[in-house]
Amino acid sequence: MASPSPNAASSDASERSPASVDLYRDTPVRFLGYANELGESFKPLIPRVAYFGTYGVACAYVAADANDKYRRDGDVARGVDALIWQALASVIVPGFVVNRVVATAGRATTRPMVPTFCGLVSIPLIIKPIDHAVDAAMDASLRPYVLKTPTSD
């Protein structure tokens, strides 16, 4: 089984046939997984319900991708692998990192837009390293022992 990581697939979706394009990994739908990072960045400026709404969008994306991976071949392990990978790499870890960037910037300034700007700038810088770290962690723990799936190599 290939890794759920978006990096595991060809980086150029235009080279693949339409049937092999993964809606949740190879199209702009992928950005829905980053909704909560936007919520974390704008947290000081938006209503609490909007902030929680961004997590709802990101979690719905995670669930939809995991369901898609399961339904493609009926492999429960593949669906669970995708669910765990997406939850960690798209919601939990980046949400925590952006939250800490915004909080730290907020303590360093009284200007309300600075923490939001810092949070937004951090998003593209953290995505690939987090994806790789989650792959490595799952390859060393859940995939071979619990999920009994091949590693992402």
Side-chain angles (χ1 to χ4, degrees):
M1 177 188 91
S3 164
S5 169
N7 304 330
S10 170
S11 61
D12 186 4
S14 64
E15 293 176 3
R16 288 180 265 146
S17 69
S20 69
V21 173
D22 185 337
L23 174 68
Y24 297 97
R25 308 286 171 88
D26 303 326
T27 70
V29 171
R30 172 80 172 114
F31 296 119
L32 293 174
Y34 302 128
N36 66 303
E37 284 87 357
L38 293 175
E40 289 293 348
S41 295
F42 284 98
K43 186 177 181 181
L45 304 175
I46 62 175
R48 194 161 177 84
V49 68
Y51 166 73
F52 286 123
T54 65
Y55 272 88
V57 170
C59 289
Y61 165 81
V62 168
D65 184 44
N67 183 52
D68 177 66
K69 300 309 169 276
Y70 164 71
R71 287 179 178 260
R72 282 181 184 244
D73 58 7
D75 185 359
V76 173
R78 184 170 185 221
V80 171
D81 186 271
L83 178 70
I84 294 169
W85 190 90
Q86 286 286 10
L88 290 170
S90 294
V91 180
I92 298 167
V93 177
F96 175 77
V97 172
V98 174
N99 178 284
R100 295 297 81 208
V101 167
V102 171
T104 302
R107 284 190 290 278
T109 184
T110 58
R111 304 183 91 164
M113 290 301 292
V114 170
T116 296
F117 177 76
C118 291
L120 291 172
V121 168
S122 73
I123 295 169
L125 302 175
I126 65 172
I127 298 305
K128 295 280 186 194
I130 289 173
D131 286 356
H132 293 298
V134 170
D135 265 334
M138 287 184 65
D139 286 349
S141 60
L142 292 174
R143 285 185 177 142
Y145 304 110
V146 178
L147 299 174
K148 306 236 187 293
T149 57
T151 61
S152 63
D153 294 336

